[in-house]
């Protein structure tokens, strides 16, 4: 049987010059990712994280783009169990920070990946974590660190975890790129958590600031779990993205690409008016507070977080109406409970451009009496 001819693609023949250029690019980019690998005992890791934490001088620190503590007690307990069992622990990624604006190099280590593990170790050693729902080491359930025998405490403290440390040659762009590559596609980080790390900028900072307004959080009835998962930030981002671009929303490629593209563009746009954005968001929140007794919530479950669809429909519709009439007053019935609003904001309403436009403009027109 004759051998098959080798497949070729004459359209994309790579020249020697291209090969040399590619090799040069690889070598150049590798320079920024210089790293070394070491292992630290648990006790040392916790010490480096805790000492100076209160005044932000701790050697091992969590940057502002990282998420809050989101592991539940059972997840933290399972991690501690893994340490006891001597199971392989994923390495912690850190970066040696050389602050060029600071004359004194403090040689601090920024945690790129591993904040949940470090916080869990710290909570356990400080007796803040009570082990629960352990399967392999079930007799350790209800134990704190102080309940262990002294020899076991010492052995736990001596357990080592691998640290991959980027040298001071790695700039901020490189660190954030690694953060993205580690977490993109991960089920443990949601989209808003990733945006904080990979789409930094003045608008990202504004979204973060506005998301912490207590009136806004109360009107949406965010649970603590929702806050820990940075849902308030996503709601604020949705408000701005739809307010300025709702007519161009397309169900494909989808909402995450829509929000990412908006945030990236507005962060880079030098004409972005942060003061005006802040004013529009706060004016909308004030209008909801005055005219909607249940905030963004409707139906029977007023203690549950309002859905994204209802929030963006009401908030954007109000902001559009305020653009046309800044002294707007609403005297009608609560439109959140109208048959039309309920129909437009059903759970399947987010996938269609037509429905997005219809529900937002319905709110706007009802407020303006059109």
């Amino acid at each position: 049987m004759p051998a098959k001819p080798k497949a070729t693609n004459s359209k994309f023949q790579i020249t020697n010059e291209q090969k040399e250029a590619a090799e040069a690019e690889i070598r150049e980019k590798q320079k920024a990712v210089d790293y070394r690998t070491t292992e630290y005992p648990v006790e040392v890791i916790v010490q480096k994280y805790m000492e100076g934490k209160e005044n932000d001088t701790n050697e091992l620190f969590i940057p502002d783009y990282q998420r809050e503590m989101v592991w539940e007690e059972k997840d933290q307990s399972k991690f501690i169990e893994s340490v006891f069992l001597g199971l392989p622990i994923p390495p912690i990624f850190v970066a040696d920070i050389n602050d060029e604006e600071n004359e004194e190099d403090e040689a601090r280590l920024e945690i790129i990946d591993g904040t949940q593990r470090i916080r869990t170790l710290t909570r356990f050693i400080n007796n803040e974590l009570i082990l629960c729902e352990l399967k392999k080491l079930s007799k350790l359930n209800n134990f704190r660190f102080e309940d262990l025998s002294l020899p076991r405490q010492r052995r736990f403290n001596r357990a080592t975890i691998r640290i991959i440390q980027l040298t001071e040659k790695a700039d901020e762009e490189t660190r954030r790129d690694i953060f993205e590559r580690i977490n993109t596609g991960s089920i443990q980080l949601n989209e808003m958590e990733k945006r904080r790390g990979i789409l930094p900028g003045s608008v990202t900072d504004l979204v973060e600031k506005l998301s912490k307004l207590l009136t806004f959080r109360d009107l949406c009835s965010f649970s603590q779990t929702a806050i820990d998962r940075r849902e308030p930030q996503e709601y604020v981002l949705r408000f701005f993205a739809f307010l300025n671009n709702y007519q161009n929303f397309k169900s494909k490629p989808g909402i995450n690409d829509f929000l990412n593209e908006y945030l990236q563009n507005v962060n880079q746009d030098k004409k972005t008016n942060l003061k005006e954005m802040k004013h529009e968001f706060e004016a909308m929140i004030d209008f909801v507070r005055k005219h909607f007794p249940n905030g963004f919530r409707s139906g029977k479950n007023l203690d549950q977080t309002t859905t994204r669809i209802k929030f963006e429909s009401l908030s954007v519709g109000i902001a559009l109406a305020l653009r046309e009439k800044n002294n707007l007053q609403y005297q009608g019935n609560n439109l959140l409970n109208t048959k039309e609003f309920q129909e437009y904001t059903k759970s399947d309403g987010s996938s269609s451009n037509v429905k997005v436009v219809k529900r937002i403009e319905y709110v706007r027109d009802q407020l303006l009496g059109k």
Side-chain angles (χ1 to χ4, degrees), residues 10 17 41 47 56 80 91 188 245 268 274 281 320 325 369:
S10 59
E17 289 79 6
Q47 179 184 2
D56 196 29
I80 296 298
Q188 295 188 23
N245 209 23
Q268 295 174 350
L274 297 176
F281 183 82
L320 291 173
K325 191 175 181 180

Side-chain angles (χ1 to χ4, degrees), residues 280 283-284 287 317-328:
E280 283 202 296
M284 177 273 295
F287 186 90
I318 289 172
L320 291 173
L322 288 172
R323 283 182 174 181
E324 293 191 32
K325 191 175 181 180
N326 58 19
N327 61 346
L328 180 68

Side-chain angles (χ1 to χ4, degrees), residues 180-349:
E180 176 187 13
R181 291 173 187 275
I182 291 172
N183 291 300
T184 296
S186 169
I187 62 172
Q188 295 188 23
L189 278 181
N190 64 26
E191 292 299 323
M192 196 63 222
E193 290 171 326
K194 287 187 281 188
R195 289 184 189 107
R196 180 65 177 165
I198 63 181
L199 293 173
S202 58
V203 176
T204 303
D205 293 339
L206 177 64
V207 167
E208 184 74 22
K209 181 178 180 179
L210 294 176
S211 73
K212 295 179 180 178
L213 293 176
L214 295 181
T215 303
F216 160 62
R217 291 189 172 189
D218 181 61
L219 291 172
C220 291
S221 192
F222 287 114
S223 65
Q224 187 58 50
T225 299
I227 292 172
D228 290 341
R229 296 295 293 177
R230 306 183 73 82
E231 289 189 23
Q233 287 86 337
E234 179 168 335
Y235 278 48
V236 177
L237 176 59
R238 281 173 175 255
F239 168 76
F240 288 124
F242 280 104
L243 176 61
N244 296 299
N245 209 23
Y246 73 95
Q247 292 176 325
N248 296 320
F249 173 76
K250 293 181 174 61
S251 57
K252 294 182 179 180
I255 183 63
N256 288 326
D257 287 327
F258 175 74
L259 296 177
N260 289 342
E261 182 178 359
Y262 168 79
L263 185 58
Q264 182 175 20
N265 290 340
V266 77
N267 268 329
Q268 295 174 350
D269 189 353
K270 295 181 179 180
K271 296 180 181 179
T272 297
N273 190 328
L274 297 176
K275 185 176 181 180
E276 180 61 27
M277 291 177 69
K278 179 175 181 291
H279 170 74
E280 283 202 296
F281 183 82
E282 291 177 340
M284 177 273 295
I285 291 296
D286 189 55
F287 186 90
V288 173
R289 181 184 61 80
K290 290 179 179 177
H291 298 284
F292 294 88
N294 296 320
F296 295 97
R297 306 179 297 278
S298 63
K300 298 179 181 179
N301 300 318
L302 297 179
D303 58 336
Q304 294 183 0
T305 301
T306 189
T307 66
R308 291 166 171 79
I309 296 174
K310 288 183 179 179
F311 170 77
E312 68 198 28
S313 302
L314 186 62
S315 64
V316 175
I318 289 172
L320 291 173
L322 288 172
R323 283 182 174 181
E324 293 191 32
K325 191 175 181 180
N326 58 19
N327 61 346
L328 180 68
Q329 298 295 319
Y330 178 59
Q331 304 298 335
N333 295 324
N334 190 340
L335 62 81
L336 276 76
N337 294 321
T338 63
K339 180 180 179 181
E340 292 83 358
F341 185 82
Q342 294 295 330
E343 179 67 25
Y344 295 153
T345 57
K346 290 194 302 185
S347 59
D348 64 348

